[in-house]
Amino acid sequence: MKKKAQSLLQELTEAHAVSGYEEEVREIFVNELTGIGELSADKMGGVYCETGSDGPSIMLAGHMDEVGFRVKHITPGGFLKIVAVGGWWTHTLLSQRVEVKTQSGNKVLGVISSVSPHHLSPAERSKVLDIAHLFIDIGASSQADTIQNFGISLGDPIAPAVPFSALGKPDHYLAKAFDNRVGMACVIQSLQELAQTALPNQLTGVGTVQEEVGLRGASVAARKVQPDVAIILEGPPADDSPGFNPAESQGALGAGVQIRIQDPTALMNPRLVALVERVAQENQIPYQITVRDSGGTDAGNIHKENLGIPSVVLGTPARYIHSHNAMINLNDYLAMVQLSTALVKALDQETVDGLTKYL
Ligand SMILES: [Zn+2]
């Protein structure tokens, strides 16, 4: 499973899939799960793989999209002005490599502008630039060159250009878009791992779209699957680097899979959380309970659909997400796959009924 995890995470993190342009991740999902279950798609581009037979409906969902940019304007000199897709902090962007994906599918390498220190006043040096002030340089000489020779159009999606790399420390990796390719890899590997098991439920693996711009595909996915339980798989921010209080850490690399029980978008069903914790303990899977006062996931929209869907979020903490280079410990990811598969096996009709028995 570990070797497969490495190759799958490489393939997924190197895919170009800014919100609204998820096709490269969707293709990997389809390739990996052909023959495992019944594949389908919704009209926004979300993908589904349905397995199992009788019993409650369980949804295992991750979002396919990543934060990026789109071309807003092409200057007379051939430079690209951009709009952000999802949340960025400009500090992380100057002088970074990006790829613009053209309508014909070509990827054009470029660099986000920066100003040489020689040209900066002391006041300018201390300022964080607004994204509106940045531009991308692809080496074009004019607007016509950019359009005709590079094939770039307004609206083309732009993603960081970053290779998946192993660090000197075993099991530590650096890549873009661990948010949320760890979640997508976990959906795929969980379904593959469970393919030979007789499940007590109908299991649907889902790749949602447009999470980074406001959990938009998640509502559609929940309405399509109408699950009795939703397990959302994520790559949320770690909190174990300088600047955080180690005593309050709930997302340390190497401390196990995160079980997120609250954030501003969702309060997870307490009975489901208790079950997840029990399953983790019984299977000796390392985990960290996470209570967040910021951020959000697809659970924010999923749990409100279908007259209420008990939901929980499992996560592989990643340092420096929403930047060009994020870092994970692969063992946390493997713990997430173990926990999601063990949890699916435990969700039989009686257990699922018990999650929402209020009268
Ligand atoms: Zn994100």
Side-chain angles (χ1 to χ4, degrees):
M1 183 165 86
K2 190 168 172 179
K3 268 223 127 42
K4 175 71 186 178
Q6 288 162 331
S7 62
L8 192 55
L9 283 169
Q10 169 150 18
E11 198 185 355
L12 282 165
T13 56
E14 291 181 352
H16 192 294
V18 175
S19 310
Y21 290 85
E22 291 88 355
E23 53 270 7
E24 290 188 18
V25 172
R26 190 161 47 236
E27 219 167 272
I28 296 168
F29 181 98
V30 168
N31 287 342
E32 290 289 335
L33 295 176
T34 295
I36 301 253
E38 194 176 320
L39 292 162
S40 62
D42 64 45
K43 291 177 186 174
M44 277 181 89
V47 274
Y48 304 81
C49 178
E50 200 181 329
T51 71
S53 48
D54 288 337
S57 168
I58 312 299
M59 170 163 139
L60 212 51
H63 70 86
M64 298 188 284
D65 59 316
E66 67 187 292
V67 291
F69 312 91
R70 293 181 77 184
V71 178
K72 184 185 179 202
H73 173 67
I74 303 168
T75 71
F79 299 95
L80 312 176
K81 302 287 283 183
I82 55 177
V83 283
V85 176
W88 289 97
W89 189 34
T90 327
H91 256 308
T92 68
L93 287 174
L94 303 184
S95 188
Q96 296 277 16
R97 291 177 185 219
V98 290
E99 278 177 338
V100 185
K101 196 171 177 188
T102 68
Q103 286 177 2
S104 61
N106 284 341
K107 288 177 186 165
V108 177
L109 182 65
V111 63
I112 298 176
S113 59
S114 64
V115 183
S116 304
H118 315 66
H119 295 304
L120 287 173
S121 68
E124 284 169 326
R125 281 176 207 224
S126 63
K127 223 170 71 187
V128 182
L129 288 172
D130 191 86
I131 284 182
H133 292 116
L134 303 183
F135 55 85
I136 291 170
D137 189 344
I138 56 168
S141 54
S142 68
Q143 191 182 64
D145 190 20
T146 297
I147 295 169
Q148 284 154 21
N149 300 324
F150 288 86
I152 289 175
S153 319
L154 295 187
D156 284 351
I158 303 164
V162 179
F164 178 83
S165 311
L167 289 164
K169 184 159 184 200
D171 302 326
H172 284 61
Y173 292 90
L174 205 56
K176 74 168 175 75
F178 276 131
D179 170 16
N180 182 39
R181 304 299 151 71
V182 288
M184 279 321 297
C186 187
V187 172
I188 291 168
Q189 282 207 282
S190 298
L191 262 71
Q192 290 172 338
E193 291 282 313
L194 291 167
Q196 305 306 328
T197 313
L199 295 176
N201 48 51
Q202 306 166 49
L203 173 65
T204 305
V206 183
T208 68
V209 296
Q210 300 187 29
E211 190 267 359
E212 296 291 359
V213 289
L215 326 179
R216 295 177 191 171
S219 314
V220 175
R223 285 175 213 153
K224 179 169 159 75
V225 179
Q226 300 195 359
D228 298 301
V229 174
I231 303 162
I232 290 88
L233 302 166
E234 261 288 358
D239 59 5
D240 63 342
S241 47
F244 291 101
N245 179 354
E248 292 182 3
S249 175
Q250 299 178 336
L253 265 59
V257 50
Q258 285 185 310
I259 303 171
R260 179 185 290 224
I261 64 175
Q262 171 163 353
D263 67 37
T265 69
L267 313 177
M268 311 309 163
N269 176 303
R271 297 176 199 167
L272 178 58
V273 170
L275 173 72
V276 177
E277 247 194 291
R278 202 187 71 219
V279 169
Q281 286 163 4
E282 281 171 3
N283 291 277
Q284 290 164 351
I285 300 165
Y287 67 93
Q288 20 192 353
I289 294 286
T290 315
V291 182
R292 290 294 189 217
D293 54 17
S294 62
T297 74
D298 273 345
N301 276 356
I302 291 170
H303 81 287
K304 295 181 288 189
E305 293 293 336
N306 203 24
L307 302 181
I309 300 170
S311 303
V312 70
V313 180
L314 307 183
T316 298
R319 290 180 188 156
Y320 326 122
I321 60 168
H322 289 219
S323 80
H324 274 56
N325 295 284
M327 190 188 299
I328 63 158
N329 181 330
L330 189 66
N331 295 305
D332 299 326
Y333 167 78
L334 296 172
M336 180 158 83
V337 179
Q338 265 185 296
L339 184 53
S340 77
T341 53
L343 184 57
V344 168
K345 287 184 204 166
L347 288 166
D348 55 29
Q349 190 69 60
E350 196 188 343
T351 306
V352 171
D353 287 347
L355 298 175
T356 54
K357 195 163 269 169
Y358 297 111
L359 294 178

